[in-house]
Amino acid sequence: MYYLSLEFLMGRALGNAILNLGLEGRATQAMQELGYRLEALEDWEYDAGLGNGGLGRLAACFLDSMATLALPAYGYGIRYEFGIFFQRIRGGAQVETPDNWLRYGNPWEVERPEYLYPVHFYGQVSSRTDADGALRFLWADTQVIMAMAYDTPIPGYRNNTVNNMRLWAAKSTREFDLDYFNHGDYERAVSDKAQSETISKVLYPNDNVFEGRELRLKQEYFFVSATLQDILRRFKKSSSGGFADFPDQVAVQLNDTHPAVAIPELMRILLDQERLGWEEAWAITVGTFGYTNHTILPEALERWPVSLFGYVLPRHLQILYEINRRFLEQVTARWPNEPERLRRMSLFEEDGEKKVRMAHLAVVGSHSVNGVSSLHSEILKAQLFRDFYELWPERFNNKTNGITPRRWLRLCNPALSRLISERIGEDWVRDLDQLRRLEPLAEDPRFRESWREVKLANKQRLAECVRSLTAITVDPRSLFDCQVKRIHEYKRQLLNLLHVLALYNHLKANPGAQVVPRTVIFAGKAAPGYAMAKLIIRLIHAAAERVNDDPDLDGRLKVVFLPNYGVSLAERIMPGADLSEQISTAGTEASGTGNMKFALNGALTIGTLDGANVEIREEVGEENFFLFGLTAAEVAQQQARGYDPRELFDSNPTLRGALDLIASGALSPGQPDLFVPIVAGLLDHGDPYMLLEDFDSYLNCQQRVAAAYRDQEAWTRMSILNVARMGRFSSDRTIREYADEIWGVRAAPVSLPPRKRS
Ligand SMILES: *Cc1c(COP(=O)(O)O)cnc(C)c1O
């Protein structure tokens, strides 16, 4: 099984390796004997940040689960020299600096110079007729770049299995072919080498946004080409006959459309190199690939200009035309005289600049298409891929995301893990459904007391982290209200902030008000080119400045922005959270996995019926979940009808008060117009994510949260029940479903002879 992903957001490896190998006791003791704490050592490791957010972290959780389930599975990706940028905050604004994570070397990777493949770009295609009368295509005059393998071991949880993540680095062919040197053009040789190695230089920092750059297309093809060469080498080594059983021996999962060029690439190999006929090659290709869709946001869908695609990959463009010709023939046979349908379904978008629709390619070239939560998969069938679902209903399925319980509970929350294991043993680490056995303990007052003590200790740790990162002091007894994720308008950090400003106005107007003290914690990176997201970060800081320094508030409200959100920071935040903000506009968040990490660490969720929130609420029980807002169907209705945010603004004084604080310039002295675009986006540009529509419902819900928090016994009961009922969201369950229903792959457990002690 091969998991192809442009992103793997791995975080640190040391603690995870020690845990999975069962070395915790010995490693802790060894460090102690040397006069150190193991934790302090772990803090020195750089995060491997080869991903943007949820999609990349999902790939990392999947690798852990595939190894833990002893599946014969490989991860394939790119060894970026620079991962996701470091976020610093200067004057309340995001500043990006390069993530030079390899600077001090990477002890986890093993160079494999023996796995080195040429990858071709550009050039021309010519055709000729063979001696046997077959039409053959020759892709020539290409530029060649070498892909070299770097392997990272992926240990399973105490099962003797170690899988492999293979990442490709670009190397100049000049190191191996000394043409320029021999002709005396030394400088050209060196600069050409640097030029070709840019392919694996840097991760594109966009989350859920498509940027149609030539270098990105080259990254996608570079990694796909090297990976398929490696897969074919391995297939040929172990298989005697031809390609007929290729789809039985090989399963390839495409993590979004980023690696979808693998579809025409496998066709090219089978047609042009292996000399198979089209029909046979196509059956093998479709039988091999599965495609996971991660978003329906139009701005995130990959649509490559045909001119660019044909320039970089001319033979692949020919193959796409032929795939499309045959596909549209099939559609016509089923629905004659429906030109509109053909236009909608084509792999090519024809209005405006002609483009390749990579999502359509991925659906046509795969035997399985899945969404990542139940709601998202339904939306795919009803909207984005409706026509395709009518044609091939059997291809469509759902695989609700999950998270690995090793990193996201056992490792990141040792105190809660200990408390849980004391009561139900340690099996939950590999069988998360075991957490159900905590349910009766929710009624045990002494267990609740211990649960609260653990949460408080974790909040103290988080408060210490807040102080060291921001110099802001927060009270661990206040409600820790957390929204940590990439900054994006659809995720609605701004809605959260409007609640903060409404609370602020309320406290200013009612100085003696008895409110539940809150610490509102934000963290998340904005894509460097996403102006509105960067402005939202500035607004959060401006609000923090105003709120935190106001003596009238008497510490009842604090706002914090933690810089440089990443896996390691998430591991610190999740255990200390009371409230998890999952407030995207219904229908926009495909699944979310941050929602799962919080709930697994005992935070309660305030959320919309979006993505996996729906299923989390079903599992934990509606009485243990704070629900607000429009449903996806209501959002769609409102958008079809068209709604007037001004009307809501005029009729809701609380909303007006919060927005006026932003619009008036009061938060940005010296730059009164700074935040005007934010207000304009809501009032003048149609409020596309319906913040104003959901505002009232959100505020009411936050009042229910505060009331619930006052009753600490009841709150603790809900927290325990949330954790007890999160078993379904283990990525072990997700991977079992992929393995059984899409890949047809079974465990290959490793048993070792007992080891002699030395
Ligand atoms: C889990 C995770 C995400 C995804 O969070 P969502 O709330 O689902 O968007 C993003 N970044 C990091 C570092 C994560 O660990």
Side-chain angles (χ1 to χ4, degrees):
M1 190 280 135
Y2 298 97
Y3 196 80
L4 270 58
S5 180
L6 262 282
E7 304 190 13
F8 287 94
L9 193 51
M10 302 294 284
R12 290 173 175 151
L14 179 60
N16 184 246
I18 289 174
L19 171 70
N20 283 14
L21 296 177
L23 295 173
E24 275 183 313
R26 276 187 281 170
T28 306
Q29 190 191 341
M31 290 304 290
Q32 250 165 24
E33 285 168 10
L34 292 167
Y36 296 95
R37 285 181 319 115
L38 179 57
E39 257 182 74
L41 176 71
E42 286 171 0
D43 274 343
W44 282 93
E45 188 177 351
Y46 270 64
D47 271 37
L50 308 185
N52 277 286
L55 173 147
R57 182 56 231 178
L58 184 77
C61 284
F62 280 5
L63 292 184
D64 183 73
S65 285
M66 292 188 291
T68 294
L69 296 174
L71 298 183
Y74 297 78
Y76 274 94
I78 295 178
R79 179 182 177 272
Y80 300 107
E81 231 172 279
F82 294 90
I84 189 65
F85 62 85
F86 264 66
Q87 180 193 55
R88 298 224 160 78
I89 303 296
R90 290 214 193 104
Q94 168 175 298
V95 176
E96 303 90 17
T97 63
D99 164 34
N100 194 359
W101 71 297
L102 295 169
R103 183 169 40 207
Y104 300 111
N106 173 6
W108 301 103
E109 68 182 11
V110 182
E111 283 180 273
R112 304 302 298 271
E114 69 274 35
Y115 295 116
L116 188 68
Y117 298 102
V119 179
H120 298 257
F121 298 96
Y122 312 111
Q124 292 94 40
V125 181
S126 58
S127 58
R128 61 182 165 73
T129 308
D130 253 8
D132 54 3
L135 192 58
R136 293 293 167 196
F137 294 86
L138 188 72
W139 182 20
D141 306 325
T142 54
Q143 230 181 64
V144 182
I145 289 171
M146 305 305 289
M148 186 175 121
Y150 284 77
D151 289 350
T152 301
I154 308 293
Y157 180 72
R158 301 184 187 178
N159 66 352
N160 299 321
T161 295
V162 179
N163 282 351
N164 192 14
M165 174 175 72
R166 178 158 287 179
L167 303 181
W168 300 107
K171 304 275 170 181
S172 165
T173 51
R174 307 300 169 219
E175 288 181 356
F176 313 96
D177 140 19
L178 298 174
D179 238 27
Y180 281 111
F181 286 105
N182 294 343
H183 288 91
D185 197 345
Y186 173 76
E187 192 191 309
R188 173 85 188 267
V190 174
S191 71
D192 254 39
K193 169 172 151 56
Q195 190 58 38
S196 47
E197 292 178 0
T198 57
I199 285 197
S200 57
K201 191 65 82 184
V202 60
L203 167 75
Y204 276 88
N206 302 316
D207 187 69
N208 275 307
V209 175
F210 171 61
E211 189 186 339
R213 300 283 277 260
E214 179 176 331
L215 183 61
R216 167 72 176 196
L217 179 61
K218 289 174 75 176
Q219 287 184 338
E220 294 182 355
Y221 179 66
F222 165 77
F223 130 75
V224 155
S225 165
T227 301
L228 283 178
Q229 291 182 66
D230 208 33
I231 292 174
L232 261 95
R233 173 191 58 77
R234 201 175 286 119
F235 172 77
K236 287 181 172 178
K237 194 174 64 178
S238 68
S239 146
S240 46
F243 282 88
D245 67 340
F246 191 82
D248 296 330
Q249 300 292 322
V250 176
V252 177
Q253 193 66 29
L254 305 173
N255 197 22
D256 212 311
T257 59
H258 313 152
V261 69
I263 292 165
E265 172 64 359
L266 182 57
M267 284 299 286
R268 187 188 69 82
I269 294 169
L270 297 177
L271 295 168
D272 297 357
Q273 292 176 358
E274 305 295 338
R275 311 234 150 169
L276 270 53
W278 183 279
E279 318 259 316
E280 193 187 352
W282 185 244
I284 290 167
T285 298
V286 173
T288 299
F289 291 108
Y291 158 52
T292 303
N293 173 281
H294 283 271
T295 181
I296 62 160
L297 296 181
E299 66 268 31
L301 301 178
E302 290 191 300
R303 285 147 59 246
W304 291 105
V306 165
S307 56
L308 174 63
F309 197 98
Y311 169 63
V312 177
L313 300 169
R315 177 61 182 134
H316 297 77
L317 182 59
Q318 286 185 335
I319 291 171
L320 290 191
Y321 278 129
E322 183 61 12
I323 292 173
N324 197 45
R325 190 186 67 74
R326 289 166 181 254
F327 165 61
L328 293 183
E329 228 170 59
Q330 216 182 326
V331 177
T332 307
R334 170 85 186 268
W335 291 283
N337 307 315
E338 286 197 33
E340 257 312 291
R341 188 186 290 268
L342 292 182
R343 201 188 53 75
R344 290 199 307 267
M345 296 182 80
S346 172
L347 302 195
F348 297 93
E349 189 172 284
E350 306 275 358
D351 35 49
E353 191 186 9
K354 194 168 173 179
K355 288 176 175 153
V356 187
R357 295 162 164 161
M358 298 302 277
H360 291 200
L361 168 64
V363 173
V364 171
S366 305
H367 65 283
S368 165
V369 178
N370 74 280
V372 290
S373 73
S374 173
L375 174 66
H376 170 59
S377 295
E378 290 306 314
I379 291 175
L380 290 184
K381 292 190 285 183
Q383 294 168 32
L384 187 60
F385 297 141
R386 181 189 181 129
D387 294 316
F388 296 89
Y389 178 61
E390 280 182 37
L391 181 61
W392 297 311
E394 69 285 354
R395 284 192 190 187
F396 288 80
N397 65 91
N398 172 245
K399 296 287 166 283
T400 299
N401 282 167
I403 55 172
T404 169
R406 271 72 65 188
R407 185 176 296 265
W408 295 113
L409 182 53
R410 180 62 181 75
L411 257 192
C412 75
N413 200 339
L416 193 63
S417 296
R418 220 172 293 120
L419 178 61
I420 291 170
S421 296
E422 274 169 19
R423 298 308 187 98
I424 66 168
E426 272 208 291
D427 277 0
W428 61 268
V429 179
R430 66 171 101 245
D431 175 13
L432 203 63
D433 290 324
Q434 297 274 336
L435 291 177
R436 280 270 172 200
R437 295 166 56 205
L438 293 171
E439 268 191 31
L441 294 168
E443 295 309 320
D444 174 349
R446 287 189 39 221
F447 186 73
R448 287 202 301 269
E449 178 66 31
S450 307
W451 193 269
R452 265 195 305 278
E453 280 167 13
V454 166
K455 180 58 84 178
L456 182 62
N458 287 335
K459 289 170 76 175
Q460 278 158 347
R461 261 164 53 100
L462 178 51
E464 187 45 46
C465 173
V466 167
R467 205 190 51 75
S468 78
L469 290 175
T470 68
I472 297 171
T473 306
V474 300
D475 179 4
R477 303 254 164 206
S478 64
L479 191 168
F480 278 15
D481 175 349
C482 304
Q483 187 173 23
V484 299
K485 48 180 77 245
R486 287 296 290 251
I487 311 294
H488 206 298
E489 285 161 283
Y490 85 82
K491 291 174 183 277
R492 301 202 294 191
Q493 279 89 359
L494 197 49
L495 179 59
N496 186 345
L497 204 68
L498 288 176
H499 169 243
V500 168
L501 296 176
L503 262 181
Y504 172 75
N505 285 338
H506 177 70
L507 288 169
K508 291 299 277 184
N510 307 276
Q514 293 287 311
V515 298
V516 169
R518 273 195 203 237
T519 301
V520 182
I521 298 175
F522 291 92
K525 292 172 184 175
Y530 189 172
M532 187 58 85
K534 293 178 110 172
L535 197 56
I536 290 170
I537 291 178
R538 295 196 69 172
L539 181 60
I540 294 170
H541 283 93
E545 192 126 310
R546 165 60 78 100
V547 166
N548 297 344
D549 290 349
D550 194 322
D552 293 353
L553 267 62
D554 204 20
R556 286 172 292 173
L557 179 61
K558 292 267 166 133
V559 178
V560 168
F561 187 96
L562 293 177
N564 202 39
Y565 184 56
V567 172
S568 289
L569 188 54
E571 287 173 35
R572 183 56 59 98
I573 293 169
M574 304 296 166
D578 292 310
L579 186 65
S580 158
E581 298 269 355
Q582 307 300 334
I583 60 177
S584 51
T585 316
T588 61
E589 187 77 273
S591 164
T593 48
N595 47 5
M596 301 169 189
K597 298 167 196 167
F598 277 111
L600 186 59
N601 283 277
L604 304 189
T605 306
I606 180 167
T608 48
L609 282 178
D610 200 16
N613 295 354
V614 177
E615 290 155 83
I616 292 174
R617 178 167 170 270
E618 276 169 13
E619 288 291 309
V620 305
E622 57 181 73
E623 68 283 10
N624 302 307
F625 186 104
F626 296 99
L627 178 70
F628 76 95
L630 298 181
T631 63
E634 289 165 345
V635 167
Q637 257 175 28
Q638 280 284 25
Q639 272 163 354
R641 211 183 303 148
Y643 96 110
D644 184 8
R646 284 262 172 203
E647 227 168 83
L648 291 159
F649 175 79
D650 292 333
S651 64
N652 186 334
T654 311
L655 173 59
R656 219 167 44 224
L659 275 175
D660 279 345
L661 204 48
I662 304 173
S664 66
L667 297 177
S668 49
Q671 276 175 285
D673 294 341
L674 182 60
F675 298 123
V676 164
I678 289 182
V679 180
L682 300 179
L683 297 182
D684 304 330
H685 303 129
D687 182 19
Y689 299 104
M690 307 219 148
L691 280 72
L692 303 205
E693 189 67 54
D694 275 346
F695 177 81
D696 213 34
S697 166
Y698 181 56
L699 253 69
N700 285 324
C701 195
Q702 286 286 19
Q703 284 175 5
R704 285 190 278 130
V705 168
Y709 195 73
R710 284 182 196 281
D711 183 348
Q712 280 290 297
E713 292 296 346
W715 184 277
T716 308
R717 205 177 281 121
M718 291 196 278
S719 168
I720 296 168
L721 289 178
N722 262 261
V723 174
R725 296 171 180 176
M726 282 298 290
R728 181 165 136 70
F729 302 98
S730 167
S731 47
D732 299 347
R733 185 271 311 153
T734 312
I735 287 298
R736 253 187 227 106
E737 292 178 2
Y738 276 95
D740 293 347
E741 297 163 24
I742 301 177
W743 305 332
V745 59
R746 274 169 299 128
V750 177
S751 53
L752 296 180
R755 229 183 1 181
K756 289 202 201 91
R757 293 196 77 91
S758 51

